Amino acid sequence: MSTDEQSAQQGTPQPKVASLGVAGDREARKRAAHEDLQPLKVSTRKDSVPLTRSALMRRFNQSFPPFYSQFVSSEVQAQNLRLAYALYQTRKAVVQVQDEGRKTVVCLAYRNRPSLLSDLFGVFTAFNLSVHGIHLYGQIYSPHLVFIRTIVSRDGHSLSSQTKLSLERAIHECLAGVFRVHETLALEFDLKAGLKDVQVSFYFDPVFHLPTLLVDVDNQPGAFYRVMTVLAQEDLTVVNLNLMLRRKQTRFIFYLLGPDSTPAMPEFLGQKLALSIQQRLQGDPV
């Protein structure tokens, strides 16, 4: 069974969110290299101190887990900084949808919260999109921003211009609580039915130094949305995510914040959460 998420009716289009540029653009990289030498003001206050781009990047990176500066490319770090600035300017979620080859890339920058992935994957499910990969980088300290880059397609092709516009609008409306995606999907799926071949385990990752949940599920319609919704029901905030797509099964590795949004979680609580999540995904009463 494919990893395609099933569809519901699309919304009407709205104007695109202004693009912040493609990370791989050669000219953009040249400009970024030049700008690194120039002072960059981060405040309009008269007593503010101009910072170089590299100094601003170091300050920005301090809110992420330690692995972020070590393992995330400088190109991605710069793109996330631009998204954070756009988020600061608009005071609302930044959503970008653009093609990359035969696939479409959806970028989202917003304040992190347990329901965020449930909302996002609910929209993907409603639009009948296949998810081919995801990069998620969340801050573990205030202001707890999260940056998500997801590669999607429909029937093996990139999305049409009309669909991209409708997808942007649906994501904004879902995050704002206007588009109640759960109610829409409940008409098409039995969201209380159990998933097949579910295995959930907890451990504390010695490299990322974060509580970690490993979730294996059978590939079936609505599975991605179900997994994200169960995490939201447990009030878990995801700050990094690895997605391993297989022919018949998908593995999620969720790196989490523990109680009170701290990067720690007692072993007994982690094991209890893993059992509760497995029971929910299997359709068992908790």
Side-chain angles (χ1 to χ4, degrees):
M1 187 173 292
S2 71
T3 57
D4 285 15
E5 303 289 300
Q6 299 301 309
S7 67
Q9 293 299 319
Q10 301 180 12
T12 55
Q14 71 172 12
K16 286 186 179 180
V17 174
S19 174
L20 298 178
V22 180
D25 183 76
R26 184 175 300 174
E27 292 300 318
R29 290 200 298 269
K30 289 180 180 179
R31 290 195 299 270
H34 174 72
E35 290 169 359
D36 190 49
L37 303 176
Q38 306 302 319
L40 182 65
K41 291 187 177 182
V42 295
S43 172
T44 57
R45 291 173 51 192
K46 293 182 179 180
D47 59 346
S48 63
V49 179
L51 295 175
T52 64
R53 182 168 293 272
S54 59
L56 182 59
M57 183 74 70
R58 286 194 298 271
R59 177 178 293 184
F60 176 68
N61 289 353
Q62 288 175 355
S63 293
F64 290 89
F67 71 84
Y68 180 81
S69 298
Q70 300 174 17
F71 300 119
V72 179
S73 70
S74 58
E75 193 172 23
V76 171
Q77 292 179 31
Q79 184 180 31
N80 288 344
L81 180 59
R82 289 194 295 270
L83 289 169
Y85 185 64
L87 179 60
Y88 170 77
Q89 288 183 308
T90 62
R91 302 294 179 176
K92 65 178 183 178
V94 177
V95 181
Q96 297 179 0
V97 185
Q98 55 194 13
D99 290 340
E100 188 176 277
R102 298 186 61 184
K103 304 292 189 298
T104 296
V105 175
V106 181
C107 292
L108 169 65
Y110 200 42
R111 289 188 179 273
N112 209 349
R113 62 190 190 195
S115 63
L116 184 64
L117 287 177
S118 177
D119 290 339
L120 181 62
F121 276 81
V123 174
F124 290 161
T125 302
F127 274 71
N128 192 25
L129 303 184
S130 297
V131 177
H132 303 279
I134 183 171
H135 293 90
L136 186 154
Y137 305 106
Q139 296 177 333
I140 60 176
Y141 303 114
S142 181
H144 292 289
L145 304 181
V146 64
F147 306 88
I148 305 173
R149 183 180 190 272
T150 312
I151 303 172
V152 301
S153 70
R154 178 186 282 171
D155 299 325
H157 301 283
S158 59
L159 308 184
S160 67
S161 297
Q162 184 72 27
T163 301
K164 289 199 287 283
L165 286 169
S166 297
L167 182 64
E168 273 190 27
R169 177 176 180 177
I171 293 174
H172 279 291
E173 291 185 347
C174 190
L175 294 176
V178 178
F179 173 30
R180 300 188 181 279
V181 68
H182 186 84
E183 295 177 4
T184 300
L185 296 178
L187 300 175
E188 188 168 352
F189 302 104
D190 181 2
L191 297 176
K192 295 182 180 180
L195 299 178
K196 300 177 182 178
D197 300 326
V198 178
Q199 293 292 329
V200 183
S201 58
F202 170 85
Y203 63 95
F204 192 86
D205 190 274
V207 177
F208 283 19
H209 304 288
L210 288 169
T212 308
L213 280 173
L214 187 132
V215 181
D216 288 304
V217 297
D218 184 62
N219 291 334
Q220 62 189 79
F224 281 32
Y225 174 66
R226 289 283 306 281
V227 171
M228 304 308 178
T229 300
V230 167
L231 261 67
Q233 291 170 344
E234 295 289 354
D235 202 30
L236 297 176
T237 302
V238 179
V239 293
N240 195 257
L241 168 60
N242 286 339
L243 181 65
M244 301 179 186
L245 300 170
R246 300 169 181 172
R247 186 174 182 181
K248 295 183 178 180
Q249 198 170 50
T250 297
R251 168 169 289 184
F252 302 88
I253 304 178
F254 296 101
Y255 300 91
L256 311 165
L257 292 182
D260 301 321
S261 297
T262 59
M265 184 182 297
E267 178 72 19
F268 78 90
L269 179 57
Q271 298 299 339
K272 182 179 179 180
L273 281 171
L275 178 60
S276 175
I277 289 170
Q278 180 160 324
Q279 289 176 334
R280 289 180 186 273
L281 291 175
Q282 290 173 336
D284 299 333
V286 178

